[in-house]
């Protein structure tokens, strides 16, 4: 198997699932990055704004 053989553009099943269900991996990555940002701010003593906490 070639090292680049697992790229998403070469995996029609994966591309099909993304079209049908959305890119769950990318969504999880975005949530993890936002959570990490919020936790860094919390550990630094920065109060979150209402937008960051999801409050209206």
């Amino acid at each position: 198997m070639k090292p680049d053989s697992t790229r998403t553009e070469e995996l029609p099943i994966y591309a099909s699932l993304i079209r049908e269900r959305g890119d769950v991996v990318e969504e999880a990555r975005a949530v993890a990055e936002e959570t990490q940002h919020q936790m860094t701010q919390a550990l630094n003593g920065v109060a979150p704004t209402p937008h960051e906490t999801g409050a209206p």
Side-chain angles (χ1 to χ4, degrees), residues 27-50:
E27 291 173 20
R29 183 180 296 120
V31 170
E33 288 173 356
E34 178 62 25
T35 302
Q36 184 177 15
H37 173 71
Q38 290 176 359
M39 292 304 101
T40 299
Q41 285 186 321
L43 290 172
N44 289 332
V46 177
T49 63

